[in-house]
Amino acid sequence: MPSPRTDTLSHFLVNAATTRPDGTAFSFVDHSTETTGVTHTLTWRELEGRVRLAAAGLRQAGAAGERVAVVAPQSLDYIVAFLAAVCAGSVAVPLFPPSLAGHDDKLAAALRDAAPMFAVTTEDRRTSFTEFCAARGLSCGPRVITENQLREMAAHTDDTDRLELPRPEDTAYLQYTSGSTRTPSGVEITHANVCANARQALEAYDIRPGRNCTVGWLPLYHDMGLVLAVALPIVGLIPSVLMDPLAFIQQPVRWLRLLSRYPGALTAAPNFAYDYCVRRVQGMERAELSLGAVTAMVNGSEPVGARTLEQFHAAFAPVGMARTMMRPSYGLAEATVFVCASPAGEEPTVTPFDRDDLGRGVARVVEPADGPAVAELVACGRPVGQEIAIVDSVTSRLQEDGRVGEIWLRGPNIGRGYWGRPEQSEAAFRATLHGDDPSDPARHWLRTGDLGVWHNKQLYVTGRLKDMVIVDGMNHYPQDIEETVQGAHPAIRPHHVAAFAVDSGEGERLVVVAEHRRDVTDPGGLIDEVTRAVRAAVATGHGVSVHDFLLAPPGTVPHTTSGKVARSACRERYTAGAWTVDMPARERTGGA
């Protein structure tokens, strides 16, 4: 355990460069020029040298204590820019270049919120980012700069021989949440927070130097991508292998090939990525894989899909995939990222609960064959180095095991609060249980907004408090309805369905929006058939009527930057009438 005074990313980077200077630190597999990929690497000494010079340039430019946005494409350059900012004593703001389709509004909003002094990018993206800022009214915003320019600035200072050591309590970066709200929230993550969370994850997944590595494609601006691919390897002194998210989307087998090539790999992905691999990686591509040496495949979806786990294992068991490799987990940006994971060496636990009772706040185990009103939930294990409480969100009283409530957290990994939002921070990061003294920081908890339940000493995540669909006094989890809908008809595109409630004037009513598959050539001719199938499936499986069903074109259901369906944004689009323009066909049955 490091001294509290050295619990910073700067300290761990210097330690890695000192103890293993020639060891491979980061490898980026670039698929932009060759389909099989070209690997670029940095040793720990090379990494520390580049970071040290860039950090000196930032300090020379007066960036210490200021926000520094990172808007480079996924690459080794991104990692250097991020580490240079945190090691310069600046507050890094990991974002993405404007080329990320469909997320320009979120980028502009985050830049306005963070108001960075500098934005570090690559030379080939500098002009496009400058033009983006001007077009969005950010012309008085960040000064756009590259690593080469920072190195030139460093030449004018003598402060290049060593990395400065920020204090553990200093904010290392702002982690913008991937939610759907128009005004993003940046979580203040201190050096102590991220170092503690990296150690918690290293322990939970049993990752050790000399035996393991990380392999990933998750974006570096996302909380899991940043910790898994950058912070955890630095703190744990293990190599990191990464690729671009677009390279995964183009050919998902590329990810699995890297897992085959690098033994002892820790990797992570959401439900849709595992399902995508099952659909797309077939035949010889699948047969050539060798997944027997993978250490852990983390699934951090909310909630983790039982069907996803089963189908992925069935597809890849012939090439070495073991059930114990699948590690259902739970986390969120406000806790840096990692909270808990299923126990190492154990198969995932899937438990069937009565769906109606879950809606009433009670987790009652039933037999899977008891009927359609069964919700199969996947356990996310137990926390490591932090505490979890299940709490009544109204009374702030602890719930007994088997009762659904809001998930509250506390531990050294919990962020400081939301950047520039003291009232929101007070409500979320400094909650207290009924009867506790709110003036005592040791009594403070983080309110996650997630719903969960303790059962057999494991956490089950049941959904989001704000997304709950309440119709006629009954609670329905939207992800359950969405799963039913995507299985109701083959024309519906998986993972592109949103279920939400709207006020019809006579109470809350259920609305479902589902994209049709890209290969559907005549969606108008299918609308009646699909609508009937969806209504019947939802009525049978959930006992609720669909007030309005929309079959939407591909690409129109909003998603967050981490790939989750953005239900709040869907509701906003629906109430604004946006789909009346987008859709070639729609059917509405009000008040059904």
Side-chain angles (χ1 to χ4, degrees):
M1 180 70 69
S3 163
R5 291 175 296 177
T6 59
D7 212 6
T8 65
L9 289 176
S10 309
H11 165 79
F12 283 104
L13 178 57
V14 171
N15 177 67
T18 302
T19 58
R20 298 193 179 181
D22 298 320
T24 299
F26 291 91
S27 300
F28 178 72
V29 184
D30 181 7
H31 294 90
S32 62
T33 57
E34 292 188 21
T35 186
T36 55
V38 177
T39 302
H40 306 277
T41 64
L42 283 175
T43 65
W44 290 111
R45 176 166 30 208
E46 291 168 340
L47 174 65
E48 191 272 344
R50 285 180 60 176
V51 168
R52 176 163 33 84
L53 288 176
L58 284 170
R59 288 194 297 273
Q60 175 71 7
E66 300 290 340
R67 275 87 60 213
V68 175
V70 182
V71 290
Q74 187 115 329
S75 61
L76 297 178
D77 295 333
Y78 194 109
I79 295 170
V80 170
F82 171 78
L83 292 174
V86 300
C87 292
S90 304
V91 178
V93 186
L95 295 172
F96 46 88
S99 57
L100 185 63
H103 294 289
D104 283 359
D105 288 345
K106 293 179 181 179
L107 174 60
L111 288 168
R112 287 192 183 93
D113 187 71
M117 172 182 281
F118 290 100
V120 185
T121 189
T122 53
E123 191 62 47
D124 61 327
R125 301 296 181 102
R126 185 178 179 184
T127 299
S128 63
F129 182 73
T130 302
E131 292 173 349
F132 171 83
C133 290
R136 295 286 175 148
L138 299 168
S139 55
C140 296
R143 175 182 172 185
V144 186
I145 200 165
T146 66
E147 183 187 346
N148 284 339
Q149 290 175 301
L150 292 174
R151 293 168 68 94
E152 292 172 2
M153 292 179 185
H156 300 290
T157 178
D158 296 328
D159 186 23
T160 61
D161 292 335
R162 61 184 177 87
L163 282 175
E164 292 293 314
L165 292 181
R167 298 170 301 174
E169 63 269 23
D170 291 341
T171 300
Y173 60 95
L174 301 182
Q175 181 63 65
Y176 276 86
T177 59
S178 59
S180 58
T181 57
R182 293 187 180 277
T183 304
S185 299
V187 183
E188 293 187 49
I189 302 297
T190 68
H191 282 268
N193 292 153
V194 66
C195 292
N197 201 230
R199 286 194 298 272
Q200 291 163 347
L202 287 164
E203 179 181 347
Y205 300 117
D206 192 22
I207 304 301
R208 303 176 189 177
R211 188 186 72 180
N212 297 106
C213 65
T214 66
V215 171
W217 55 267
L218 293 175
L220 295 176
Y221 56 81
H222 185 251
D223 50 8
M224 176 61 85
L226 186 64
V227 173
L228 179 77
V230 181
L232 185 147
I234 291 174
V235 174
L237 201 58
I238 63 172
S240 172
V241 181
L242 65 155
M243 56 186 275
D244 192 281
L246 180 60
F248 167 77
I249 296 298
Q250 291 171 337
Q251 294 187 37
V253 72
R254 290 166 169 166
W255 174 43
L256 303 181
R257 285 172 178 160
L258 290 181
L259 293 175
S260 300
R261 186 186 311 168
Y262 293 93
L266 166 67
T267 193
N271 281 330
F272 90 85
Y274 292 106
D275 291 340
Y276 190 51
C277 287
V278 172
R279 295 197 308 272
R280 288 287 304 272
V281 182
Q282 303 277 344
M284 288 302 298
E285 282 190 339
R286 183 181 295 182
E288 70 181 7
L289 299 171
S290 178
L291 301 178
V294 174
T295 291
M297 303 187 78
V298 177
N299 186 328
S301 298
E302 301 163 8
V304 177
R307 183 178 303 176
T308 293
L309 299 180
E310 183 59 36
Q311 292 179 344
F312 189 84
H313 175 260
F316 295 100
V319 291
M321 176 71 205
R323 290 184 188 274
T324 54
M325 294 176 185
M326 301 297 290
R327 302 293 301 279
S329 304
Y330 168 67
L332 68 164
E334 287 82 351
T336 304
V337 64
F338 170 78
V339 173
C340 58
S342 62
E346 296 183 15
E347 296 184 5
T349 301
V350 179
T351 304
F353 295 103
D354 184 285
R355 181 180 289 151
D356 293 337
D357 280 349
L358 274 179
R360 300 183 186 98
V362 178
R364 183 173 67 87
V365 179
V366 295
E367 292 298 323
D370 280 356
V374 173
E376 289 193 325
L377 300 185
V378 180
C380 292
R382 296 175 286 275
V384 175
Q386 53 194 299
E387 297 177 74
I388 292 179
I390 304 299
V391 181
D392 185 303
S393 61
V394 177
T395 66
S396 297
R397 295 179 183 273
L398 282 172
Q399 296 280 68
E400 61 185 23
D401 289 4
R403 298 287 304 188
V404 177
E406 185 180 7
I407 301 171
W408 288 22
L409 307 171
R410 67 181 176 191
N413 54 302
I414 304 301
R416 178 175 289 154
Y418 296 114
W419 168 256
R421 288 175 168 76
E423 293 183 2
Q424 189 178 352
S425 299
E426 185 72 21
F429 287 83
R430 286 173 276 284
T432 53
L433 294 171
H434 179 79
D436 282 354
D437 181 5
S439 66
D440 183 0
R443 301 289 185 177
H444 290 171
W445 294 80
L446 167 69
R447 296 189 62 162
T448 67
D450 292 323
L451 294 171
V453 62
W454 280 115
H455 175 73
N456 284 348
K457 300 181 180 180
Q458 292 204 71
L459 175 70
Y460 290 78
V461 180
T462 61
R464 287 284 293 169
L465 189 60
K466 69 176 183 179
D467 288 340
M468 184 74 78
V469 175
I470 306 175
V471 178
D472 296 330
M474 284 294 296
N475 295 342
H476 302 272
Y477 289 100
Q479 69 272 8
D480 292 342
I481 296 173
E482 290 158 4
E483 184 174 0
T484 297
V485 170
Q486 73 179 23
H489 195 281
I492 294 175
R493 188 181 180 195
H495 303 293
H496 290 75
V497 180
F500 50 89
V502 297
D503 188 348
S504 68
E506 299 177 357
E508 295 286 289
R509 294 293 182 261
L510 173 63
V511 173
V512 176
V513 181
E515 293 183 12
H516 61 74
R517 291 182 181 270
R518 294 188 182 277
D519 57 0
V520 173
T521 57
D522 181 22
L526 285 174
I527 183 65
D528 290 341
E529 177 184 329
V530 176
T531 300
R532 285 194 299 270
V534 167
R535 291 187 185 281
V538 173
T540 301
H542 303 272
V544 62
S545 297
V546 176
H547 173 74
D548 197 8
F549 172 70
L550 290 75
L551 187 64
T556 59
V557 171
H559 282 66
T560 69
T561 52
S562 60
K564 302 173 186 175
V565 172
R567 298 185 186 101
S568 296
C570 287
R571 184 186 296 106
E572 290 178 9
R573 289 204 67 191
Y574 176 83
T575 56
W579 272 290
T580 60
V581 176
D582 293 341
M583 294 182 55
R586 80 191 291 245
E587 177 174 300
R588 179 189 299 272
T589 306

